[in-house]
């Protein structure tokens, strides 16, 4: 899988700093699962964080801090890794890579909902994410996604299939970052269906007649 | 205990300390690591806006996490300070989000079976840290400042623009320049 469209430096830096909201963090993680180059960048940033941490002038900690940490260590065990998380009962989403299946496995999701001819979406539940939303968007080959603009930013990672718009072709692992100045009409490549992971802040505004008809039902 | 608070050991020593905790639950190694990192992790958290009391609690939790996860530490992938930085960063995030965020950040470490070059086991942790520090020192001061504020302290770009009294676009372009510079200097590193 060759990735050509990457998140911006600012987005990668925010991911490494832990300041992205959960939806955008999930989209960046989906990209990283497919992009060794950006994984290297994140590791480089973490190494940079380590150096900056090491160089900070220390501040005083309580005289009993070590003793309290020792007491806590004696109270608990040592674990070997991340504990298992609840998931969607092992449901597999067809067409996704194993890494993307794993990434999404711990999230509750709503049912697929129809948005327009050949297009459906599926809400991903992220209770910690106020004011933004993250969902899967699925479109059949050859479909034009609804012409839309946003009131906030939209971060998309292709999970399977491909779409095109004026900035090029977006295949698995590619990320498309759009802000409120972008008005785009992505078209899914003919052939297989395309599933994207989309994190959105603000509201989506559908343009055109179809959009006017659909908007009240879609709630995007 | 004959450990000077905040004493600066060599970078390699810190890696060895974590390995000693993993190998034999070495409490003296933990105490030495605590003396160096707890005051710095607290300072780091306070810089990103955490109140002193909570920062101290989280610094303590960071080091306890180091103890518990010591078996996962791999010096060939990340040095002690980078690893501890990542733990402290994850703790900076509120508890409800923590577990998922950890998993998402773990994606950054997922090996790519076909594409990943073999990790450079010859590169000593100390060498890596030296090169990262040199790359940072190589940045123009204004770019380094943006890296510190944006990435390290986790401030929003709008806040930084206000703080430094520069346009938002300048914040973004300086961050981009700094990251490209560092990538070109350190691209072979990790």
């Amino acid at each position: 899988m060759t990735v050509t469209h990457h998140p911006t430096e600012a987005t990668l830096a925010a991911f490494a700093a832990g300041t992205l909201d959960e939806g955008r963090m999930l989209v960046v993680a989906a990209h990283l699962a497919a992009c060794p180059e950006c994984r290297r960048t994140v590791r480089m940033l973490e190494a940079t964080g380590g150096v900056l941490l090491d160089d900070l002038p220390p501040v005083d900690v309580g005289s009993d801090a070590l003793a309290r940490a020792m007491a806590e260590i004696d109270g608990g065990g040592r674990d070997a890794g991340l504990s298992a998380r609840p998931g969607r009962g092992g449901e597999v989403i067809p067409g996704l890579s194993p890494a993307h299946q794993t990434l999404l496995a711990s999230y509750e999701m709503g049912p697929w909902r129809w948005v327009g001819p050949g297009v459906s979406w599926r809400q991903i539940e992220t209770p910690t994410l106020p004011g933004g939303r993250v969902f899967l968007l699925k479109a059949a080959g050859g479909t034009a996604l609804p012409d839309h603009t946003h009131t906030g930013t939209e971060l998309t990672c292709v999970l399977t299939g491909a779409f095109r718009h004026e900035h090029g072709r977006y295949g698995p692992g590619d990320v498309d970052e759009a802000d409120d100045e972008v008005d785009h009409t992505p078209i899914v490549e003919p052939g297989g269906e395309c599933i994207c992971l989309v994190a959105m802040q603000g509201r989506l505004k559908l343009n055109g007649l179809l959009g006017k008809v659909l908007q009240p039902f879609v709630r995007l | 205990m004959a450990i000077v608070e905040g004493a600066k050991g060599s970078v390699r020593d810190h890696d060895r300390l974590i390995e000693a905790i993993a190998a034999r639950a070495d409490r003296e190694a933990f105490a030495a690591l605590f003396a160096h990192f707890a005051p710095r992790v607290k300072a780091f958290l306070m810089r990103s806006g955490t109140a002193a009391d909570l920062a101290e609690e989280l610094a303590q939790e960071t080091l306890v996490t180091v103890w518990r996860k010591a078996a996962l530490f791999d010096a060939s992938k990340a040095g002690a300070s980078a690893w501890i930085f990542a733990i402290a960063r994850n703790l900076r995030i509120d508890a409800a989000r923590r577990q998922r965020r950890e998993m998402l950040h773990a994606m950054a470490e997922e090996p790519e079976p076909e594409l990943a070059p073999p990790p450079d086991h010859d590169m000593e942790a100390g060498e890596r840290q030296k090169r990262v520090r040199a790359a940072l020192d190589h940045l123009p001061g204004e770019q380094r400042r943006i890296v510190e504020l944006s990435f390290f302290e986790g401030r929003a770009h709008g806040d930084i623009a206000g703080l430094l009294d520069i346009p938002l676009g300048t914040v973004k372009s300086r961050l981009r320049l700094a990251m490209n510079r560092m990538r070109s200097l350190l691209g072979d590193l990790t």
Side-chain angles (χ1 to χ4, degrees):
Chain A
M1 145 163 32
T2 311
V3 176
T4 49
H5 299 278
H6 305 274
T8 60
E9 286 81 6
T11 299
L12 282 179
F15 177 88
T19 51
L20 285 183
D21 63 61
E22 190 174 356
R24 287 188 294 163
M25 200 161 229
L26 184 57
V27 175
V28 174
H31 173 76
L32 291 174
C35 182
E37 192 185 328
C38 287
R39 284 204 297 274
R40 271 198 295 278
T41 301
V42 170
R43 278 201 295 272
M44 177 195 83
L45 284 166
E46 290 179 346
T48 304
V51 166
L52 291 171
L53 177 67
D54 228 23
D55 287 353
L56 277 184
V59 299
D60 286 341
V61 297
S63 53
D64 62 339
L66 176 59
R68 282 188 290 132
M70 288 285 196
E72 203 174 322
I73 283 167
D74 291 333
R78 286 188 294 160
D79 60 35
L82 295 173
S83 51
R85 272 163 295 275
R88 280 171 290 111
E91 181 205 342
V92 168
I93 299 164
L96 268 56
S97 72
H100 287 152
Q101 301 282 5
T102 306
L103 180 65
L104 294 173
S106 72
Y107 286 89
E108 298 289 334
M109 293 186 198
W112 284 108
R113 290 177 193 280
W114 186 87
V115 198
V119 187
S120 50
W121 74 292
R122 191 171 179 185
Q123 173 83 53
I124 296 174
E125 303 298 340
T126 49
T128 65
L129 179 57
R133 47 177 62 217
V134 55
F135 53 89
L136 293 175
L137 189 67
K138 181 165 75 174
T143 317
L145 291 171
D147 180 18
H148 63 281
T149 46
H150 330 100
T151 59
T153 62
E154 182 188 87
L155 191 63
T156 302
C157 181
V158 179
L159 302 181
T160 180
F163 67 79
R164 286 175 183 278
H165 60 54
E166 46 278 39
H167 294 304
R169 177 185 186 272
Y170 294 76
D174 280 328
V175 160
D176 189 14
E177 262 189 272
D179 61 22
D180 53 3
E181 283 158 24
V182 176
D183 175 359
H184 54 197
T185 318
I187 295 175
V188 178
E189 282 197 341
E193 67 182 10
C194 177
I195 300 179
C196 297
L197 179 63
V198 185
M200 189 179 292
Q201 294 177 305
R203 295 255 140 187
L204 183 74
K205 186 170 173 298
L206 299 175
N207 301 328
L209 179 61
L210 180 64
K212 286 203 172 63
V213 173
L214 291 174
Q215 190 81 61
F217 302 104
V218 176
R219 292 190 308 109
L220 280 178
Chain B
M1 211 163 296
I3 291 160
V4 183
E5 181 93 343
K8 226 176 182 173
S10 96
V11 166
R12 266 198 94 173
D13 291 347
H14 294 149
D15 292 357
R16 297 296 94 83
L17 291 175
I18 299 177
E19 285 163 1
I21 294 169
R24 49 182 182 277
D26 187 326
R27 296 167 75 95
E28 276 185 35
F30 179 76
L33 210 57
F34 193 96
H36 180 76
F37 281 105
R40 289 178 171 81
V41 170
K42 183 179 174 185
F44 161 66
L45 293 164
M46 286 171 67
R47 285 204 179 204
S48 46
T50 309
D53 285 2
L54 182 59
E56 171 140 352
E57 205 174 296
L58 290 175
Q60 193 182 314
E61 201 179 332
T62 299
L63 272 297
V64 169
T65 304
V66 168
W67 172 274
R68 296 205 169 119
K69 293 190 187 251
L72 296 175
F73 175 71
D74 179 353
S76 72
K77 284 168 80 183
S81 63
W83 196 61
I84 293 172
F85 164 76
I87 291 171
R89 169 203 64 198
N90 289 345
L91 289 177
R92 181 166 74 178
I93 296 152
D94 75 72
R97 299 183 184 183
R98 192 178 302 158
Q99 200 177 34
R100 278 229 171 87
R101 292 227 182 183
E102 267 183 50
M103 184 192 66
L104 298 185
H105 276 114
M107 295 306 288
E109 282 144 35
E110 205 75 17
E112 188 83 6
E114 316 128 60
L115 296 169
D120 187 354
H121 287 290
D122 299 334
M123 169 93 66
E124 282 185 17
E127 176 66 14
R128 178 170 42 210
Q129 185 144 355
K130 225 160 73 190
R131 285 198 45 202
V132 171
R133 183 170 281 118
L136 266 174
D137 289 344
H138 221 73
L139 294 178
E142 56 183 34
Q143 289 177 22
R144 185 187 165 126
R145 189 81 187 112
I146 299 284
V147 169
E148 287 171 357
L149 289 169
S150 163
F151 165 68
F152 192 56
E153 298 185 16
R155 290 174 195 267
H157 291 174
D159 295 349
I160 298 170
L163 200 70
L164 301 181
D165 197 22
I166 54 176
L168 185 60
T170 307
V171 174
K172 290 181 179 176
S173 64
R174 281 183 191 169
L175 179 62
R176 192 164 57 238
L177 288 170
M179 281 180 61
N180 285 338
R181 185 92 180 240
M182 291 196 64
R183 273 201 285 229
S184 71
L185 290 170
L186 301 171
D188 59 323
L189 204 59
T190 46

